[in-house]
Amino acid sequence: MVVSKTRSIHELLTLGVFEIPWYQRYYDWEKKHATRLLEDTWTAVQDGEPCYFLGSVMLTKRAGDTSGRIEIIDGQQRLITLSIILSVLGRYFSGDNICRGGVERDLVERRALRLLYDLKDNHSHQFSDASSGRFSSMLRIHAPEEYRLHYKNIVIGQELKEKTKLLDANKTIDQFFHEGRRTDSDLERYFHFITNCVEISCLTIPEEMNPNKIFETINSRGKPLAAIDLIRNYLYSYFNHSEEERQDVHRKIENMRRNVIDNNSRYAGRFDEYARCYFQCRYGFIHKEQLYEKVREKIEEDIFDDSGEDAEIQRARDLIDDLTDPICTEVYKSIAFPEEGALCQAFTRDAGELRSGRDLPVLLHELARYKKVTFPVLFALLFHYCRLPQSDSQKHRVAVRHLRKMIIQFNAYVMRVSFIVAKFETSRFEEPFSRLASKIFRSRNTRSLNMMAFLKKFESEHSDYQVINDAQFISRMKWVTEKNSNKIKLFLSAIAGAQDLELHPQPHFQKELTLEHILPRSERFHAGWPRFGNAHQEYVDRYGNMTLLAGPHNTAGDYNRSFSNKKETFRSNPISLNRDLSRKHDWGPANINERQEKLAKMATQVWRFPK
């Protein structure tokens, strides 16, 4: 039977030594969560509240475990944060600090150490003893291995360089106490309130109940747990027969996580993105909000085997090996950060396109704007590239070139659509493109796949996305207005880069450029542009009215007052897009229409569909 009892923080922590199980999520409180806890409890002290209720924690002792440790099934985020608060306050009043008159400095320090470490009630230690490592193994809370050392160092106040959410929480708490002009007596009152008046409902789970299942149930409701953590916990359940094998599975998944996020907790969101990308390639479209439920359902279908439990466990092993395959994580990282890895360079070399300005990193960089739609397809294609046999160099090159052609076609379609629509509605693309990704991922021979056939079928079902035919694209593109400066810069810089390849390689080219509206946006300059009459706003955000400027240029004074004032800047600028502008005598609606149609035609050569 589950037993519930309300305890103060002091009563809870002195129950014994706690352990956060390896199947738990990572510490993920943001600055706002720590700040809210601090402000709420501080206000309770100032208002003279008798207590503050902090919710519930769920505890258990693992069956057969002789260590006596208490497992924290739910509530680690609050308990870890509270322990950091105790650590910061304890060090503030430590014997190493300056004397603080009127405050029971030693009492605060000893009580903080007693709650942070498994020490006797009448101990005489100081924080300097903890810093020297005399009882570092006696921490009350044993954090998961992934951040155990990091947590230990934060508790003793050691400076850390690695940026994590734990460190962010520690800084937030430290600043709250040190920068708030709070008196020592106020801080002492707060410490005693935290330890004696903050109450938590402790739910103790019988040893015979499965803590993994309880953890999953808790976190499938209420505050959502990251889907990958629930999936991870579900996969662990297949290995309850062997602690050693569960730990091995845990290490594999942890190594994969570190690889995906580059060992930086600030990029933790990548892990969920990778998981969804991988499982959509494996199973087809899965809605983000249903990731855990749908993946679990698919895994059960994958793993179920009539021949018995042993066969199911082996299938679970195979699935985990596939999910944690280093090739998969490297492919994902290459898609997300094409300029950082060696995979893109190897692909470009193997495709024999070393002189192309629109090599793989450029294509991936453009498609990253729409990653919900594009990442699964790109993942499936590049996964096949990594699996291509190398024994026959000629066949290998032919296969790589076919993959490259499909990526170019995919890029051309997505980018053309993005330019003609006011908003790229990912919801209309996700499901069919995920089905395509799954088909590619499962295919044994990508040479049999026809990207153009898929794109033409998709286009036939969506009349507003008909862009494969050059004439149709030009017809739509020549009237488009656009206010998204990043999209405009991408469009113009790709066209300029195709003309000035040696001077301006993509995608770094965009970062060095300034977007320039030829007819200025500000109404105060419109008097100097008489050919537009009262139609300035109709033309100012047209593609044909925009260009790019490289390097320093002077836009002060009368620069925007007339077209003639701008011509010298266009003439002296190295980007070839500006050469025609410098030859114009004036600038009006007809010039914008003519230039936009010309740009649309040039775009069909940049985002082309190779046969």
Side-chain angles (χ1 to χ4, degrees):
M1 183 174 70
V2 177
V3 177
S4 174
K5 183 174 181 178
T6 300
R7 290 183 167 93
S8 69
I9 297 300
H10 179 271
E11 292 170 335
L12 170 59
L13 291 179
T14 53
L15 284 175
V17 176
F18 299 83
E19 182 167 7
I20 299 170
W22 48 267
Y23 55 77
Q24 283 261 17
R25 75 171 103 179
Y26 313 99
Y27 185 84
D28 67 352
W29 266 26
E30 306 284 350
K31 178 180 178 180
K32 62 183 179 182
H33 299 119
T35 301
R36 178 68 179 272
L37 175 60
L38 290 164
E39 290 178 345
D40 285 355
T41 49
W42 184 269
T43 300
V45 175
Q46 301 305 307
D47 291 348
E49 298 289 345
C51 65
Y52 180 89
F53 183 66
L54 195 56
S56 63
V57 297
M58 193 166 287
L59 311 170
T60 191
K61 288 187 177 180
R62 188 185 302 169
D65 185 4
T66 59
S67 69
R69 291 181 181 175
I70 303 167
E71 284 194 353
I72 304 170
I73 300 176
D74 188 54
Q76 67 138 317
Q77 310 290 328
R78 281 162 290 162
L79 291 183
I80 287 285
T81 307
L82 283 167
S83 70
I84 296 174
I85 291 174
L86 296 175
S87 167
V88 171
L89 287 171
R91 283 185 278 109
Y92 182 85
F93 289 115
S94 72
D96 303 319
N97 214 328
I98 61 173
C99 180
R100 302 187 180 279
V103 174
E104 299 178 61
R105 183 192 66 199
D106 294 342
L107 177 60
V108 171
E109 180 180 19
R110 287 199 308 273
R111 289 197 67 184
L113 284 169
R114 168 90 166 106
L115 297 176
L116 292 167
Y117 294 91
D118 187 18
L119 300 171
K120 293 181 179 179
D121 197 33
N122 61 349
H123 78 89
S124 60
H125 293 291
Q126 296 181 332
F127 265 89
S128 56
D129 298 326
S131 301
S132 67
R134 286 180 61 182
F135 43 82
S136 60
S137 62
M138 299 169 67
L139 270 170
R140 289 276 184 194
I141 299 177
H142 285 243
E145 183 180 352
E146 290 72 37
Y147 64 86
R148 186 172 298 159
L149 180 60
H150 202 66
Y151 172 66
K152 282 184 179 180
N153 290 335
I154 282 176
V155 169
I156 63 176
Q158 182 172 319
E159 288 191 18
L160 301 170
K161 293 182 179 179
E162 183 183 357
K163 294 181 178 179
T164 66
K165 289 186 177 180
L166 264 177
L167 183 58
D168 287 345
N170 185 60
K171 286 182 176 178
T172 299
I173 293 165
D174 192 70
Q175 289 170 0
F176 183 84
F177 294 132
H178 286 81
E179 298 178 4
R181 296 182 180 178
R182 309 183 195 281
T183 67
D184 289 355
S185 58
D186 281 343
L187 292 176
E188 184 193 10
R189 284 173 56 214
Y190 181 79
F191 176 83
H192 289 302
F193 184 85
I194 284 288
T195 54
N196 298 314
C197 302
V198 170
E199 297 180 343
I200 292 184
S201 176
C202 302
L203 306 176
T204 304
I205 307 301
E207 293 182 20
E208 62 270 15
M209 294 182 70
N210 187 335
N212 297 45
K213 293 291 186 182
I214 296 168
F215 176 75
E216 178 185 329
T217 302
I218 292 168
N219 289 291
S220 292
R221 304 178 176 93
K223 182 181 183 295
L225 187 68
I228 186 60
D229 290 319
L230 288 171
I231 293 167
R232 178 186 64 174
N233 186 55
Y234 172 69
L235 289 171
Y236 290 156
S237 68
Y238 280 91
F239 303 96
N240 286 330
H241 63 283
S242 168
E243 178 67 17
E244 182 179 351
E245 188 159 17
R246 281 202 304 172
Q247 292 285 4
D248 182 59
V249 170
H250 178 64
R251 279 191 290 272
K252 286 180 179 180
I253 293 178
E254 277 307 297
N255 288 337
M256 171 188 71
R257 184 186 71 88
R258 290 193 191 99
N259 192 13
V260 170
I261 71 171
D262 283 338
N263 233 3
N264 189 329
S265 66
R266 291 183 182 276
Y267 301 144
R270 290 187 201 167
F271 196 29
D272 261 16
E273 290 177 1
Y274 165 74
R276 186 173 180 229
C277 183
Y278 172 84
F279 284 119
Q280 287 196 125
C281 285
R282 190 176 181 108
Y283 299 128
F285 175 67
I286 303 172
H287 198 281
K288 183 179 179 180
E289 278 68 37
Q290 298 177 320
L291 183 59
Y292 168 64
E293 291 80 4
K294 293 297 182 183
V295 167
R296 175 172 174 165
E297 181 182 306
K298 293 291 185 181
I299 288 174
E300 287 175 347
E301 293 173 6
D302 256 5
I303 291 177
F304 177 76
D305 195 307
D306 288 331
S307 55
E309 184 180 357
D310 289 345
E312 290 187 348
I313 291 172
Q314 184 55 50
R315 287 192 174 190
R317 290 190 191 106
D318 294 341
L319 172 60
I320 289 165
D321 286 343
D322 290 343
L323 174 64
T324 61
D325 187 341
I327 289 178
C328 289
T329 56
E330 286 306 310
V331 166
Y332 176 79
K333 287 170 66 178
S334 296
I335 295 168
F337 305 97
E339 300 162 40
E340 296 181 6
L343 188 149
C344 288
Q345 295 177 11
F347 184 94
T348 300
R349 181 192 63 238
D350 290 348
E353 298 286 349
L354 295 177
R355 291 184 174 274
S356 172
R358 291 186 59 75
D359 54 14
L360 184 62
V362 173
L363 304 178
L364 298 180
H365 174 78
E366 292 177 351
L367 292 171
R369 292 173 59 87
Y370 311 104
K371 60 184 179 181
K372 285 184 180 179
V373 169
T374 60
F375 274 21
V377 175
L378 295 170
F379 183 94
L381 290 168
L382 291 179
F383 176 80
H384 268 286
Y385 163 70
C386 292
R387 293 294 192 184
L388 287 175
Q390 304 265 349
S391 53
D392 188 323
S393 59
Q394 182 59 33
K395 286 184 178 180
H396 178 78
R397 174 156 292 188
V398 170
V400 177
R401 286 181 173 176
H402 180 70
L403 289 171
R404 185 178 189 275
K405 182 175 73 172
M406 288 201 291
I407 294 173
I408 291 172
Q409 292 167 338
F410 183 63
N411 168 275
Y413 185 77
V414 171
M415 298 313 297
R416 285 192 183 194
V417 169
S418 74
F419 295 134
I420 65 164
V421 296
K423 181 181 179 182
F424 192 91
E425 298 180 73
T426 56
S427 59
R428 299 183 67 181
F429 294 84
E430 276 192 280
E431 187 168 353
F433 280 27
S434 293
R435 288 199 302 267
L436 171 65
S438 183
K439 182 178 180 181
I440 296 170
F441 190 74
R442 292 170 173 270
S443 173
R444 294 183 178 273
N445 178 17
T446 54
R447 291 293 308 280
S448 64
L449 297 171
N450 189 326
M451 178 64 74
M452 287 306 297
F454 169 82
L455 294 174
K456 287 178 178 178
K457 182 176 185 299
F458 179 83
E459 184 185 65
S460 69
E461 296 168 352
H462 300 81
S463 58
D464 46 344
Y465 296 151
Q466 293 183 349
V467 294
I468 293 176
N469 179 278
D470 287 349
Q472 284 183 306
F473 171 72
I474 293 168
S475 177
R476 294 282 300 276
M477 188 68 206
K478 67 182 183 179
W479 304 112
V480 172
T481 61
E482 182 60 65
K483 293 185 178 181
N484 186 315
S485 59
N486 289 328
K487 187 194 291 190
I488 300 163
K489 283 183 71 173
L490 189 152
F491 177 83
L492 294 175
S493 62
I495 293 173
Q499 294 181 311
D500 306 325
L501 181 60
E502 293 184 5
L503 289 174
H504 308 295
Q506 284 257 1
H508 300 291
F509 183 29
Q510 294 177 42
K511 300 176 183 178
E512 303 166 3
L513 302 174
T514 303
L515 181 64
E516 173 75 4
H517 287 71
I518 303 166
L519 167 67
R521 302 190 76 177
S522 176
E523 294 183 2
R524 66 192 180 96
F525 296 119
H526 288 176
W529 303 76
R531 292 182 61 186
F532 290 93
N534 295 321
H536 295 82
Q537 296 306 320
E538 181 182 339
Y539 288 92
V540 73
D541 291 319
R542 292 275 300 279
Y543 275 97
N545 185 54
M546 292 179 243
T547 191
L548 299 171
L549 298 178
H553 46 277
N554 184 11
T555 60
D558 293 334
Y559 174 76
N560 279 305
R561 294 199 177 277
S562 69
F563 181 71
S564 60
N565 290 350
K566 290 190 170 189
K567 285 180 61 174
E568 181 53 38
T569 297
F570 298 146
R571 184 180 296 109
S572 60
N573 206 267
I575 298 177
S576 57
L577 280 177
N578 297 318
R579 291 172 194 155
D580 284 346
L581 291 174
S582 65
R583 300 188 190 104
K584 301 289 183 186
H585 298 293
D586 204 351
W587 193 249
N591 303 105
I592 291 176
N593 292 338
E594 177 189 1
R595 186 168 183 269
Q596 186 149 332
E597 184 170 2
K598 182 179 179 180
L599 290 172
K601 290 176 180 178
M602 295 167 75
T604 63
Q605 299 306 305
V606 175
W607 292 282
R608 59 188 178 83
F609 295 96
K611 305 300 182 184

